[in-house]
């Protein structure tokens, strides 16, 4: 435990976490500091491309095996199942409607790629290796949770909501959303071009990565802080508790899956992180179309305002520390 | 110059619904429209700005200039899309040059 | 479809004044508005474009759809803010769907 | 508040023509206008979006508020520029504050 | 021939080409992946600045000589003459109106700077040197083709088109268009500051270059794919054949000029690439103003949807291979 | 003197200054070359973050002492006092109204962070060290000048202007404006994470810095050139003289303060640069709100069109040279 806390404490003083805090504080202090939308998108494109490419190169080097398939299946299963746990917890801890609870549950079954990227940067900062294919697992975990959530809504009868607006077109949008395509595409390119490809673009992909992540987390802090400011009073204590407990539940499930798969400590930490993280890009957009009556302020504030900072500051360092102990 | 009476319909809608809206318009035969970016706004669902947005989809403003007689079909189509969503629809009388284009 | 008479107020104002304007609107009970970006323009104070701007604050366009009876309160509030500043205010008759929202 | 009748002319035109249009306006004495960015649209020449554009020039929307008596001169000038180009021109009745500015 | 194919084949598996393919596939699969406009412009500004600066530094080192002037004149001559070949081929192969054919011809006389940049990156990947002043040749080749095309329109009487809208102002816009000014400006700055200037900004100009090119080509793939999707049915088989044959004709003309000039194998490959490439930024904007009745879907689809990918995947590697054989 | 001129002359041929000139010339030649707004903002965010972080890391290494406090106080005092000198000079040299003169004076008491950044890059190019906390001094000097200017307006009775629009809210906006928050935030993050933090993001913060500064100054040149074009005839010879003399007066005051503080030659040069530079971001925005009747064309043209290029081309190299002589 002390060991975990020490490692976690060290992690708080990295430029990345401090940049997130700076953004949070600036937003809460109502500074007008903003990151232009195009710059934020550019940085996320860069991060997705870099992380996907690195994963692909690492698979090209270490080979492609049955464990990759098993990890993908485990990820998909987690994404399908976690929404049920989240839904049950929300119904117990909060007075949320079934519709809102299902929408929130979809976010917690899915994943946050920035949380994942931050975890890889913590690992690399500590010199811990991980399985390159974990980025493919991340991509595979984005969408299944949406199915579970819609099933939960359909079963609950949904009270005030009209029919669910789920069609082939929305599936197409979800499965081919920008980040999945970029992540998987870069992964494949990395896998195909391997080490020679990496040699050509290494000084673009590797060197500036952590610095870009700093500025990106600054923006995330700004956005999260503005969201929290706007959403004051929207989340009761039960919802706040959920926002902290659910990632712990997710991480535990991820740890179980990772141990069963026999992942390395680094891979284990990433699997915990994925399961513990909550989506705030792909799933919200899908929910706006499929369940427009669900309140976005609830799911965005929980996911980005509570769980994301929790994972960044406390979660990831703990998951890494735990993974080293139990996976070591 | 010669101008012709027309309607200017302005639909402010969530960006994820844009393509559904424009397809609905096209289905009713409305093939002319222009999409403008929106920086932020306020309504019953509160204030927002594009830069404080997660994913930053935000909203867009879709403007259609149409002949008056096609207004009803357009509104029906638009309404079916926006009905359950946040956003607003307004219709203004206007005049256009080059009526043969509409 | 059923539409209701309303006013469309369009206020083009310097970006540093935007938050002062929208707060003034909110104080008079106008909670619905949309902010559009502006690329450039020309007026009594000369030509400008966002890309030739220092600091690039530029201007924005704020659009409010309101019930006719609330127009005067809105214009008073807006005028108090824009009075000493460059920019323009226009008011157009329009119709809106879903009047209960305004 | 005191408002004055005016015309709101909205010209949606290809970006490479913007400076030619605004110069033509200035030549006829129209010195007030505002340029808004356009994200995409559809018309007789098909659909386009700024992000799917090569060179990404796209289109812009130019808005002029003018006194009614100057409308014809403005339309002649604008028409001479847009005539051979894709785009649309619409004219709406409106009212402005601070008429001395127009 | 086998040698050419082998080298060409290797080139297909670079991260750059694969990024272009990723964009193309994503667009054809209707993914909503997009690169923000400002990011695309930022990358193109970076690439133009870097390539211009590098060229200038190289001229500062290797000196400035009569061959530079000769190469510039040869480039201008190619740009003037190629539109006539293109126009003739179009009239034979397709049923295009004289107006559309002339507009297309202007694009093929002019050049694509991204194709040029990609070729320099292929050369540097293979360790082949080239004349630094080739970027100045590229800039000089942008505009002359427009004159030829307008002359072709005027001579043809233009059928449905009204008078050509060509005035001093449009010339000014063409000759001082953003990319020319940036390319030439950076070239001059590089030539003036030389090696010491390069030392100061090398880690900005050189190291991330290939990585930025990857993301830029991803965007080009997206744009080309969306263009192809929108333009289905616009190009008949004759036009498609033209889009493949014309760059070959251009490359042959470029090779002849390069051999006559006595360029190094690298310079020869670049001269072939320039002559083979077709503009899709400067010339289309000029055509919208000068010949608004010409159909942009035709010239953009041909230039960006057919010839650009052809040059990227097959053209450049072949030109490089051929240049090494005939120029070696 | 010759020594000063020689060093100053060398400085003119750096890529940074030449990029600024390129922008200026392109704008004056009416080229449509533009840097997208989002790219310009992204570069300024990068530069502020990098300069603040470096300053913080340097303070973490060299320790935090009484001199830092003294330097901050000296900076604040300069910012308060210089507007009075500027106002007096303007009233003598030009026929400007008290309102316009006060607005201009506010700009010259405040500072230009880009001028500061350029000076640090010149210092680092010549291998001269400076006190890391100078970025904190820069931040502290932004706002006080506004108070002096408003006091000048209030005292003058302001002629045609109505009451000054200065409220708690505007103070909040000024003190928490984006650049101050970013600069100070990055400074604190650098100070907290120190050398290990720097090690993680060095290849983002240090390596590309000078290259980004080149493109940023290119944009500044474009903006300054367009401003000059639009403002022709707005400034008489008296105002032009002010735009050159005032930075010299400021630099002298900065030199006096720096010598009194016992700064190193590098720190002295930076203090001179800060005092000599004029704001063109924070103060103009504040003036638009507080003194809307003051003519922005006057203060922007003077600050960005006259004093900024003067400092860049002649000022900074001279300040550095002088600081080495008198501070050495
Ligand atoms: N009265 C109004 N005038 C102009 N825009 C409005 C108005 N009401 C709503 N909007 C726009 O529509 C969005 C959603 O509104 P709402 O559905 O009321 O939350 C707002 O964020 C505004 O951008
Ligand atoms: N007549 C007008 N029509 C449209 N926009 C205008 C008009 N006059 C002024 N504007 C806009 O308001 C800004 C400031 O105008 P002014 O206060 O006249 O300098 C201009 O830059 C335009 O963006
Ligand atoms: N009826 C319309 N309503 C609004 N915008 C239109 C309309 N028709 C055309 N536009 C705009 O003008 C552009 C060119 O139209 P067109 O000349 O018909 O191809 C389109 O891409 C739209 O942005
Ligand atoms: Na999860
Ligand atoms: Na060519
Ligand atoms: Na100063």
């Amino acid at each position: 435990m002390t060991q975990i806390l020490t490692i976690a404490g060290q992690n708080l003083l990295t430029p990345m976490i401090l940049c997130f805090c700076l953004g949070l504080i600036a937003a809460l202090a109502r500074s007008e500091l903003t990151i232009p939308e195009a710059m934020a998108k550019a940085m996320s494109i860069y991060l997705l491309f870099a992380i996907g490419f690195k994963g692909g190169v690492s698979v090209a080097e270490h080979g492609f095996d049955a464990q990759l398939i098993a990890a993908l299946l485990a990820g998909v299963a987690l994404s399908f199942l976690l929404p049920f746990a989240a839904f049950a917890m929300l119904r117990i801890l909060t007075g949320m409607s079934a519709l809102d609870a299902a929408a929130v549950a979809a976010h917690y079954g899915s994943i946050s790629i920035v949380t994942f990227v931050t975890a890889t940067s913590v690992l690399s900062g500590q010199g811990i290796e991980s399985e390159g294919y974990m980025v493919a697992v991340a991509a595979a975990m984005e969408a299944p949770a949406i199915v579970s959530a819609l099933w939960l809504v359909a079963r609950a009868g949904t009270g005030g909501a009209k029919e669910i607006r789920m069609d082939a077109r929305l599936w197409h949008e979800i499965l081919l959303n920008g980040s999945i395509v970029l992540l998987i595409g870069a992964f494949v390119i990395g896998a195909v071009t391997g080490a020679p490809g990496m040699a050509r673009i290494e000084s673009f992909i590797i060197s500036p990565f952590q610095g870009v992540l700093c500025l990106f987390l600054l923006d995330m802090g700004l956005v999260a802080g503005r969201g929290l400011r706007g959403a004051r009073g929207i989340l009761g204590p039960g919802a706040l508790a959920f926002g902290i407990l659910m990632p712990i539940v997710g991480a535990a499930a991820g740890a179980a899956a990772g141990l069963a798969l026999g992942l390395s400590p680094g891979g284990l930490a990433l699997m915990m992180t994925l399961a513990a993280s909550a989506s705030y890009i792909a799933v919200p957009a899908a929910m706006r179309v499929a369940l427009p009556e669900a309140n976005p302020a609830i799911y965005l504030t929980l996911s980005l305002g509570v769980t994301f900072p929790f994972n960044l500051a406390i979660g990831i360092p703990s998951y890494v520390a735990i993974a080293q102990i139990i996976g070591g | 110059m010669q101008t012709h009476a027309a309607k200017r319909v302005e639909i402010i809608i969530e960006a994820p619904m844009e393509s559904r809206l424009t397809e609905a318009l096209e289905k009713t035969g409305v093939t002319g429209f222009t999409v403008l970016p929106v920086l932020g706004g306020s309504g019953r669902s509160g204030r927002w700005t594009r830069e404080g947005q997660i994913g930053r989809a935000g909203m867009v403003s879709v403007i259609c200039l149409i002949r008056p007689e096609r207004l009803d079909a357009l509104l029906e189509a638009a309404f079916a899309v926006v009905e359950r969503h946040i956003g607003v629809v307004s219709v203004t009388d206007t005049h256009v040059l080059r009526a043969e284009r509409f």
Side-chain angles (χ1 to χ4, degrees), chain A residues 221-248:
Chain A
L222 287 167
V223 173
R226 296 215 166 97
L228 281 176
R229 227 166 14 100
R232 241 169 315 150
I234 287 197
L235 301 183
L240 288 175
F242 170 83
I244 306 286
L245 290 176
M246 187 60 211
I248 299 177

Side-chain angles (χ1 to χ4, degrees), chain A residues 34-37 40-41 162-163 165 167 169-170 173 219 223 226 280-281 285 288-290 292-293 300 304, chain B residues 14 16-21 23 39 49-57 79-86:
Chain A
T34 45
I35 304 286
E37 187 195 354
K41 280 201 184 147
K162 304 194 187 154
E163 80 287 358
R165 210 174 224 171
D167 48 15
R169 164 140 192 209
L170 182 52
E173 284 175 12
D219 183 49
V223 173
R226 296 215 166 97
Y280 48 81
I281 298 183
R288 285 313 297 144
V289 177
E293 284 87 2
L300 287 176
L304 190 71
Chain B
E14 299 174 86
M17 298 303 292
E18 180 193 328
S19 57
R20 283 171 177 78
L21 174 65
E23 274 177 29
L39 283 184
T49 66
R50 191 176 279 268
E51 254 143 35
Q53 274 306 89
I54 306 134
R56 304 191 198 225
F79 189 68
V81 177
V82 305
E83 198 188 352
R84 294 168 61 197
H85 286 270
I86 63 173

Side-chain angles (χ1 to χ4, degrees), chain A residues 75 78 82 107-113 115-117 119 133-139 141 250-251 254 267-279 311 319:
Chain A
L78 280 171
L82 286 171
H107 291 71
Y108 282 82
S110 183
I111 58 108
S112 147
I113 199 73
T115 312
F116 177 79
V117 165
Y133 56 70
M134 287 305 293
V135 302
V137 176
M141 288 177 75
L268 188 56
L270 291 180
M271 190 58 116
M272 291 170 77
T273 302
L274 285 174
S277 72
S279 169
N311 273 329
Y319 310 151

Side-chain angles (χ1 to χ4, degrees), chain B:
Chain B
M1 290 200 70
Q2 174 75 354
T3 61
H4 302 80
K7 298 284 180 179
R8 181 182 190 274
V9 183
E10 185 177 53
I11 305 170
I12 297 173
I13 193 174
E14 299 174 86
M17 298 303 292
E18 180 193 328
S19 57
R20 283 171 177 78
L21 174 65
T22 54
E23 274 177 29
L25 294 180
E26 278 161 358
K27 259 187 213 140
T28 64
V30 177
T31 55
F33 54 83
T34 296
V35 184
L36 305 184
V38 171
L39 283 184
S42 169
R44 296 180 316 154
S45 50
R47 270 220 74 159
W48 68 277
T49 66
R50 191 176 279 268
E51 254 143 35
Q53 274 306 89
I54 306 134
R56 304 191 198 225
M59 305 193 78
V60 293
S61 164
V62 178
I63 292 168
C64 303
L65 298 163
I66 47 155
R67 293 163 184 261
E69 61 267 25
R70 299 174 65 182
L71 177 63
D72 257 341
L74 185 158
L75 290 183
E76 303 281 358
F79 189 68
V81 177
V82 305
E83 198 188 352
R84 294 168 61 197
H85 286 270
I86 63 173
V88 290
V89 181
S90 66
V91 183
T92 310
D93 290 322
T94 190
H95 289 83
V96 293
L97 287 189
R98 309 199 276 188
E100 69 285 2
R101 303 202 154 206
F102 294 88

Side-chain angles (χ1 to χ4, degrees), chain A residues 18-33:
Chain A
L18 291 174
C19 280
F20 180 80
C21 296
L22 172 59
L24 211 60
I25 293 169
L28 293 175
R30 298 172 176 272
S31 163
E32 39 76 280
L33 175 62

